Structure formats: C-alpha cells, structure tokens
Amino acid sequence: PFSLPQVLRVIVSVAVVPMAQEFGWSPDEKGWVLSAFFFGYITLQLGGGYLSVRYGPKLVLALGVLVPAVLTALTPVVAGNFPLLIAVRVLTGVGEAVSYPALHSLMGAWSPLEERSQTVGFVWAGAYLGTTFAFPIAGALVTSSFGWPLVYYVSSAAAALWLVPWWLLVSD
C-alpha cells in the first residue's frame, strides 16, 4: 500500500520541469516548489504516531492518503498562483506526514514479533517500488498530449481507488 504516498510525493520532481517552463519560474522558485512538501511533512512525523494511537491507524493512514490525493489533484488548478501552489504543497506534506507513523502502528499490531523486521522490509520495498515506477510513468504522462496536469490527476485517482478496498478490508 505504501507505493501510493511515494508516488504522490515524487511526481512533482518530473512535472516541475514543464511547469517551470509554462509559468516562467526561476531555479529558486523551482526549488521552493520541490521543497515545500517537506516543510509540511516534518510537522506531523511525531504527531502521526500519537494520532494513530488515539484514532486508529486505519483512519489516520486513510487520511494520510486522501488529503494528499485531493491536494495533488488541486495542484494543476493552483499552479498559476505561486504562493497558493506553495501552500498546497506544504499542506500536501502535512497530510502525508501521518502515513509512515500510522503504517508502523499497523505493522506493530498485525505482525508477530518474530516477523516484524521482515514486514517492515516488505513495506519499505513497496515504497521504493512506487518511487521506481513513478518516475518513468510520470515522464510518460507529462509528455503526453494532455500535458503535465495529467500526472497529478492520474496519481490522485489511483490513490482514491486504493482507498476503497483499504477502508472496506482493513482493520486496526
């Protein structure tokens, strides 16, 4: 499940090139677009663990995918307004920040102690698998006839589709 948050995180690394060309961003502005996510992301790393214990990791991880998916879908809409784009990217980071702590909470609850390291390794491999495939797929979507916004819409739709079985099949 953890490849989707990674995808939502890294697609901007590919899309920022045509976006910068379209909007005339300087290298500094491209840097802000790329780093804004992480300003938000660092805010709830500790809080994500607390929220998972208090409200359950199923809900927290669902929100950790839903909020970034919605904000990712909004990215093309706000891209022409640089301050608003930065705000959306920061909020995307805030939304996704709870994902790793929630996932670790689930792994702690679901995995027998003797299998926990293997489970964590499997999940992290999925995260990197998402990154591995996100870059070439994002490149293909960005260069399609629909242009760079398509990568944001497809990624958001994939996350939304993932949420349905997650909510129906997973328990704390």
Side-chain angles (χ1 to χ4, degrees):
F2 220 68
S3 57
L4 280 171
Q6 285 292 111
V7 169
L8 294 173
R9 180 185 311 180
V10 303
I11 57 172
V12 70
S13 301
V14 177
V16 75
V17 175
M19 291 171 75
Q21 291 170 345
E22 180 174 330
F23 297 111
W25 296 336
S26 69
D28 287 346
E29 289 170 317
K30 281 182 11 184
W32 279 107
V33 171
L34 291 169
S35 65
F37 170 91
F38 294 99
F39 283 104
Y41 191 70
I42 61 174
T43 61
L44 280 181
Q45 288 294 297
L46 295 175
Y50 170 78
L51 292 171
S52 293
V53 170
R54 178 149 172 100
Y55 299 105
K58 173 185 175 178
L59 173 63
V60 173
L61 186 53
L63 291 173
V65 173
L66 177 64
V67 170
V70 169
L71 292 168
T72 297
L74 287 175
T75 300
V77 176
V78 303
N81 181 327
F82 193 77
L84 190 54
L85 173 63
I86 297 303
V88 166
R89 291 296 300 155
V90 169
L91 291 173
T92 303
V94 171
E96 194 173 309
V98 299
S99 298
Y100 281 107
L103 189 60
H104 281 274
S105 181
L106 277 174
M107 288 186 293
W110 289 355
S111 303
L113 185 59
E114 61 277 359
E115 296 176 16
R116 205 158 290 157
S117 293
Q118 184 178 353
T119 302
V120 170
F122 179 76
V123 168
W124 278 95
Y128 295 122
L129 186 66
T131 302
T132 302
F133 287 107
F135 284 116
I137 292 170
L141 293 172
V142 164
T143 58
S144 75
S145 61
F146 296 103
W148 62 264
L150 184 63
V151 72
Y152 291 101
Y153 299 136
V154 168
S155 301
S156 296
L161 288 173
W162 174 85
L163 280 167
V164 174
W166 172 263
W167 194 254
L168 295 174
L169 300 174
V170 172
S171 65
D172 289 329

